[in-house]
Amino acid sequence: MIDKNSPLPIYYQIQEWIRKKMDDGEWEPGDMLPSERIFAEQFNISRMTVRQAITELVNEGLLRREKGKGTFVAEKKLEQPLQGLTSFTEDMKARGFQPGNKLYEFRVTPPSRDVADALNMKKTDSVYELERVRLADNKPMALEMTSIHAGVVTNLSKDIAQSSLYNYIEQTLGLTIGHASQTLESALAGEKEAELLQIEAGDPILWISRKTHLQDGTPFEYVRSAYRGDRYKFSIHLPRST
Ligand code: 16G
């Protein structure tokens, strides 16, 4: 399988061999790879070469290393379209995952200056501040820090924050969610994001900030969400504009 006379570098041939095992479904997400030693013996090559091949696939996100355990086939990333104003609960259900929430923070406070600016609020108004880790089939996908205008979205409770906010706004309060604007920024997880998302500090994350309005234009939500870089890729449809 490894051709030492080939112009293709050996580490690259190992990578192609691993990719094929994954494409053929022989190795599935969660499966543990043989150790570097076994690989090296099997192909009669150095462990350094094996490590180089594997490290690149880890960097690509196809494999993941767990300290003290080994190297595993990574979960497939979830593809999230960027157009369309949907909620986390809707997105997960549409994919057949069980949506979940871990609520870390729930409080009512005066708005910070940023939030007051974003939501056109006065200093004397109140916001609900929620900190939630969003789960799919019990696995952490994103950390959301949400500020909700308490004068617009009324009577929010911990129970509601533990299920779907948008469902409450639309079905219970009878309000119509209209449009949102978002920005995306790549970053590395700090200690807090790492702990809550069950990743390592320094792992890649994507910050998405969303400001959401009701149909009549009233802004009601300002959210900052950290998405796990190993769980998400984002797609967008681009009609040609002239
Ligand atoms: C999404 C939205 C977030 C919204 C939440 C409501 C982004 C970046 N964020 O996660 O703004 O608050 O859905 O979800 O898309 P829920 O109805 O399940 O609580």
Side-chain angles (χ1 to χ4, degrees):
M1 279 160 284
I2 297 297
D3 178 0
K4 292 196 174 165
N5 297 317
S6 162
L8 295 174
I10 293 177
Y11 81 89
Y12 181 81
Q13 293 183 48
I14 302 276
Q15 288 179 340
E16 290 301 291
W17 185 84
I18 294 175
R19 280 183 209 276
K20 185 160 185 326
K21 291 253 180 218
M22 289 166 58
D23 286 347
D24 292 349
E26 217 173 304
W27 287 359
E28 294 191 331
D31 286 353
M32 188 161 93
L33 265 66
S35 68
E36 285 177 8
R37 186 180 57 77
I38 304 263
F39 254 120
E41 280 171 10
Q42 186 181 343
F43 293 111
N44 197 19
I45 52 172
S46 77
R47 280 176 72 161
M48 271 253 297
T49 307
V50 176
R51 191 166 309 153
Q52 183 186 5
I54 289 181
T55 301
E56 284 195 9
L57 294 179
V58 168
N59 291 344
E60 258 182 58
L62 290 179
L63 302 176
R64 102 187 119 75
R65 281 203 178 100
E66 274 188 40
K67 268 189 202 143
K69 288 192 184 156
T71 306
F72 299 82
V73 178
E75 301 291 325
K76 284 221 168 63
K77 289 187 181 181
L78 198 144
E79 191 167 325
Q80 172 72 40
L82 283 172
Q83 69 273 27
L85 177 47
T86 52
S87 75
F88 184 85
T89 302
E90 289 164 348
D91 291 339
M92 292 308 118
K93 283 189 176 161
R95 290 189 168 78
F97 293 121
Q98 178 66 39
N101 271 310
K102 265 191 196 160
L103 182 66
Y104 284 93
E105 182 80 65
F106 181 90
R107 58 191 181 129
V108 189
T109 89
S112 65
R113 183 172 316 160
D114 281 358
V115 171
D117 285 350
L119 300 183
N120 292 343
M121 297 175 77
K122 295 195 279 301
K123 275 197 209 132
T124 48
D125 289 335
S126 296
V127 281
Y128 292 107
E129 283 192 351
L130 278 50
E131 211 172 290
R132 309 190 284 175
V133 172
R134 311 304 309 259
L135 311 166
D137 288 349
N138 265 324
K139 292 189 197 145
M141 305 294 284
L143 164 68
E144 282 184 350
M145 268 93 80
T146 314
S147 303
I148 298 281
H149 194 316
V152 179
V153 176
T154 48
N155 297 322
L156 206 58
S157 66
K158 277 190 181 176
D159 273 355
I160 295 159
Q162 264 152 340
S163 63
S164 170
L165 206 55
Y166 281 12
N167 186 62
Y168 172 72
I169 293 170
E170 294 184 316
Q171 302 306 319
T172 309
L173 297 181
L175 301 170
T176 308
I177 297 175
H179 64 274
S181 44
Q182 285 190 176
T183 60
L184 283 70
E185 270 175 286
S186 64
L188 303 179
E191 295 295 333
K192 176 177 173 180
E193 293 92 46
E195 193 193 325
L196 295 176
L197 292 172
Q198 292 172 23
I199 54 178
E200 304 282 329
D203 280 354
I205 54 173
L206 190 74
W207 279 107
I208 302 189
S209 303
R210 180 187 280 191
K211 180 172 148 182
T212 323
H213 305 250
L214 297 178
Q215 200 157 45
D216 68 6
T218 313
F220 69 92
E221 158 181 85
Y222 181 71
V223 190
R224 267 177 57 76
S225 314
Y227 285 78
R228 281 180 60 148
D230 62 340
R231 290 273 160 87
Y232 271 96
K233 61 178 170 188
F234 295 87
S235 63
I236 187 158
H237 173 70
L238 301 171
R240 175 119 171 95
S241 49
T242 49

